[in-house]
Amino acid sequence: TLHVELNVFNEVTIGLHVTNLANFFAFLSAFSLLLISFLTHHLKQSNLFYILLHLLNASIFLILYADDYLLFFIGWEIMGVVTYFLLAQTLSSHALHKYIIFTMTSAFSLLMAMMILYSVSHSFLYSDARIAFEAMGELKSAIFISLMLVAFFIKLGAIGFHYWLVDSYEQSSNIFTPYLSAVMSKMAVFALIVLLVKVVNISTLSTPTLSYTLAIMGLLSSIIATFKAINEDSIKRVLAYSSIAQLGYIVTVLALANGVGGALYHSLIHTSVKLLLFINIAGVAYVTSKSKFSELGGLIYKMPHSFVMLLIGIIVLAGMPPLGGFNSKFIIYTTLMDDKMLLILAAMMFASASAFLYIYKLVYGIYLGQPTSKKLESIKEAPVMFLIPQYILATIVVLLGAYPSIVVPYFNSILSELHVTQMQFLNVTTLMSPMGKYNGFVVFGAFVAIFAAVLLFVVLQRSRKKEAKNRFDIAYCGEEPNDSTHLHYGYSIGKELRRIGFVSTILKNSSSKFYDFVAIQTLSFSQILRKIYSGSLSVNFHIAIIFVIILLWWVIK
């Protein structure tokens, strides 16, 4: 039997294959790597760091261009191992342990799913995967899909599977976090698209269980992560939860057979805005050596360029017109409306509207209000090498806002290749859907005119303001603050939301309780095994005898 299996394995053809889908995600990876290279001038790293970073990028290319899921798995494993060595340079041992356990779980789940697929088709090729899936029984196909989703949800950081993600984002170096958020999560999006379109073919499934699972998981990720972000004091933790919420939109829209276009567009937007925001925060941390809202504030006049870039980033993150963030939200919302999934649409719009709470925290906690210490009054703008990539990204999202359909023809080439529903557009300025259309150029022009009028009014009114001599000049309030007094609202913004019932429930409960329980039970079980395998030769000999007797009985039977 072993000889036959080896022969079958040797006959399997494996290799690389170029597709438009792979090219898109490869571009996101290479473009992200190019932009963070600007930061290397100021954020010095060891030569080993750069070697590992390029090896990581190579593993991502292997994942994307693999023509079979064996090479895909090899790339997936290399990505996990190399990321571990990159994170090990800055993460605490506790955070690193969480990353290792979840990465191993993702890898084993993926491997078991692959073996189930291979046991049916005796082929690792994607082209044979759909036939193999269709030949599976109901139970085996359910196990296969479950294992795949576990593997991909861990990399996505979907809520409940995100236990490793927030600490990794917070503690990773400021030069690696942008890449980690913008690119690494997209490998799970790519894999999920391949699973749903090339293997499972979600449009032909007889039961909607998979669609409901994806939709519910995506919505829970978007809603819960949004309110978790509101309660954080660390800027990078807020952006980590923001990534979970934004990726939740992608997972939700992928629950629909015609949702791939919205997923691709939102992947582009998410990559751009997360690069912009994490690089912005890296610049703030570089000049202030601070990374918490309670330690910052009042930087708008000290770092005006960075303030404008962050303002553009949060407008995109909020999905507001006239910038590019609204385009993907428009496509996602109209796709849900077209499929008559109105309850899911309402929940998603609630999550999107709630995001304004932590988005406001980003701009106010860092740049507005009063500085939280006297040292902040003497800082200067971030170095130009931090600003260049931000200006590039800001230009992209602004152009996408005015010309929302400029990338649609390329996305349609991907969708055509995948044999799924293509996106509709009238011209480079107008997106179309069965539910309506959106002219980005008109909205952008109207916004610019209104913004210019408001800005002129504010500038004219500024000369009438009475400027405080220093940040403690609030005697008219009947207070006498000192250096230890927190005058910045960013210190406690969002805390009052605990009084809302369901928000309080979200904030009080954490997946850490579940994983702590699992850890305790695993430790107890291992201690039992340790007593059995005590190292005693006589005990091990008797265990071996019992095992041989059981095998003989099974063979005779």
Side-chain angles (χ1 to χ4, degrees):
T1 303
L2 179 61
H3 177 71
V4 173
E5 287 180 355
L6 286 175
N7 281 342
V8 171
F9 180 82
N10 289 334
E11 292 173 1
V12 173
T13 302
I14 59 176
L16 303 176
H17 181 59
V18 177
T19 64
N20 289 327
L21 180 66
N23 287 340
F24 170 66
F25 284 99
F27 168 77
L28 294 183
S29 177
F31 182 65
S32 300
L33 188 62
L34 173 64
L35 290 183
I36 66 172
S37 66
F38 283 91
L39 309 185
T40 59
H41 181 73
H42 295 283
L43 302 178
K44 303 296 184 181
Q45 299 289 337
S46 65
N47 291 332
L48 177 61
F49 175 88
Y50 298 117
I51 293 172
L52 291 172
L53 188 60
H54 287 287
L55 180 58
L56 176 60
N57 200 57
S59 70
I60 287 172
F61 275 55
L62 182 59
I63 291 172
L64 297 174
Y65 290 109
D67 194 32
D68 56 89
Y69 45 89
L70 178 60
L71 281 180
F72 175 92
F73 178 76
I74 293 172
W76 193 268
E77 278 292 87
I78 295 173
M79 178 179 70
V81 172
V82 174
T83 303
Y84 165 78
F85 286 115
L86 285 166
L87 293 175
Q89 300 181 25
T90 54
L91 261 63
S92 65
S93 58
H94 180 65
L96 205 56
H97 290 161
K98 289 195 288 188
Y99 172 80
I100 294 170
I101 292 172
F102 276 83
T103 298
M104 289 177 61
T105 303
S106 175
F108 278 120
S109 296
L110 183 61
L111 180 61
M112 286 188 287
M114 286 170 46
M115 291 301 100
I116 292 174
L117 204 59
Y118 181 79
S119 68
V120 177
S121 64
H122 297 285
S123 170
F124 288 109
L125 294 175
Y126 286 137
S127 56
D128 298 324
R130 179 177 294 182
I131 299 173
F133 178 78
E134 292 173 350
M136 289 181 188
E138 187 174 339
L139 177 61
K140 185 177 285 189
S141 62
I143 295 173
F144 166 76
I145 292 175
S146 299
L147 290 170
M148 280 288 193
L149 291 183
V150 168
F152 300 154
F153 282 164
I154 288 174
K155 287 299 180 182
L156 281 167
I159 209 70
F161 299 88
H162 71 291
Y163 191 47
W164 66 275
L165 185 144
V166 181
D167 286 346
S168 296
Y169 277 37
E170 181 188 26
Q171 297 179 26
S172 58
S173 63
N174 286 330
I175 194 173
F176 183 52
T177 311
Y179 190 86
L180 188 63
S181 176
V183 177
M184 299 290 288
S185 59
K186 302 305 176 302
M187 294 306 100
V189 174
F190 168 81
L192 197 55
I193 292 173
V194 171
L195 171 67
L196 296 175
V197 177
K198 292 187 176 182
V199 180
V200 172
N201 192 10
I202 192 170
S203 61
T204 61
L205 288 180
S206 57
T207 58
T209 306
L210 177 57
S211 295
Y212 287 145
T213 301
L214 290 172
I216 292 171
M217 183 59 70
L219 285 175
L220 289 177
S221 298
S222 298
I223 295 172
I224 294 176
T226 293
F227 287 100
K228 288 284 188 182
I230 295 168
N231 200 50
E232 293 292 342
D233 187 34
S234 168
I235 302 173
K236 291 176 76 173
R237 288 182 74 87
V238 168
L239 291 178
Y241 278 117
S242 170
S243 287
I244 296 172
Q246 295 296 317
L247 290 167
Y249 300 146
I250 297 176
V251 173
T252 300
V253 78
L254 282 176
L256 309 178
N258 59 343
V260 180
L264 292 175
Y265 209 130
H266 202 66
S267 295
L268 173 62
I269 295 299
H270 180 262
T271 298
S272 302
V273 72
K274 278 301 181 286
L275 284 171
L276 174 57
L277 292 175
F278 272 113
I279 292 174
N280 187 281
I281 298 310
V284 172
Y286 180 79
V287 299
T288 65
S289 300
K290 307 292 184 182
S291 60
K292 295 183 177 181
F293 295 109
S294 58
E295 301 171 337
L296 293 167
L299 300 182
I300 182 171
Y301 297 118
K302 306 298 180 181
M303 306 177 67
H305 294 274
S306 296
F307 167 73
V308 172
M309 293 300 100
L310 182 125
L311 189 61
I312 290 174
I314 64 171
I315 292 174
V316 175
L317 192 63
M320 295 170 56
L323 301 184
F326 181 76
N327 304 343
S328 58
K329 291 284 184 72
F330 173 81
I331 296 169
I332 291 173
Y333 292 163
T334 54
T335 301
L336 290 170
M337 291 175 65
D338 189 35
D339 277 47
K340 297 180 174 57
M341 304 191 72
L342 301 183
L343 186 60
I344 292 176
L345 172 62
M348 182 173 287
M349 293 180 72
F350 170 75
S352 182
S354 302
F356 279 94
L357 295 170
Y358 72 76
I359 287 170
Y360 174 73
K361 189 173 184 175
L362 281 171
V363 66
Y364 189 93
I366 302 172
Y367 291 101
L368 303 182
Q370 292 288 340
T372 54
S373 70
K374 196 170 184 62
K375 294 180 180 179
L376 296 178
E377 298 175 1
S378 60
I379 68 164
K380 297 180 180 180
E381 180 60 84
V384 67
M385 299 305 284
F386 285 90
L387 297 177
I388 290 175
Q390 293 183 61
Y391 275 114
I392 294 172
L393 292 163
T395 301
I396 291 173
V397 295
V398 168
L399 287 176
L400 286 174
Y403 304 99
S405 302
I406 197 169
V407 293
V408 172
Y410 180 69
F411 286 149
N412 279 343
S413 68
I414 299 175
L415 301 176
S416 175
E417 183 180 72
L418 296 174
H419 305 292
V420 296
T421 306
Q422 297 187 24
M423 301 165 63
Q424 301 178 38
F425 68 103
L426 184 62
N427 49 51
V428 293
T429 65
T430 308
L431 285 171
M432 297 284 292
S433 81
M435 314 310 300
K437 62 181 180 180
Y438 169 68
N439 191 313
F441 188 79
V442 171
V443 175
F444 188 84
F447 179 86
V448 170
I450 295 172
F451 180 79
V454 173
L455 181 62
L456 179 62
F457 175 77
V458 171
V459 170
L460 292 175
Q461 292 295 315
R462 185 181 177 187
S463 60
R464 303 178 186 178
K465 290 196 307 179
K466 181 180 178 182
E467 297 287 345
K469 295 179 181 179
N470 58 67
R471 67 192 183 95
F472 296 128
D473 187 12
I474 59 171
Y476 58 85
C477 296
E479 300 179 19
E480 295 182 3
N482 53 45
D483 285 334
S484 62
T485 305
H486 286 284
L487 300 179
H488 187 44
Y489 187 56
Y491 174 68
S492 60
I493 186 171
K495 304 239 180 237
E496 66 279 1
L497 292 173
R498 286 179 174 272
R499 291 179 290 179
I500 302 175
F502 81 94
V503 176
S504 176
T505 302
I506 290 174
L507 296 179
K508 287 180 180 178
N509 291 281
S510 172
S511 58
S512 60
K513 296 178 181 179
F514 169 75
Y515 290 113
D516 288 342
F517 172 78
V518 172
I520 292 171
Q521 299 307 313
T522 303
L523 179 61
S524 301
F525 182 70
S526 64
Q527 288 174 344
I528 294 173
L529 291 180
R530 186 69 185 87
K531 291 178 180 179
I532 296 174
Y533 292 96
S534 60
S536 170
L537 182 61
S538 60
V539 172
N540 291 342
F541 176 77
H542 286 94
I543 291 174
I545 291 296
I546 293 172
F547 185 68
V548 169
I549 292 172
I550 292 173
L551 284 178
L552 288 173
W553 173 82
W554 181 73
V555 171
I556 294 172
K557 182 181 178 181

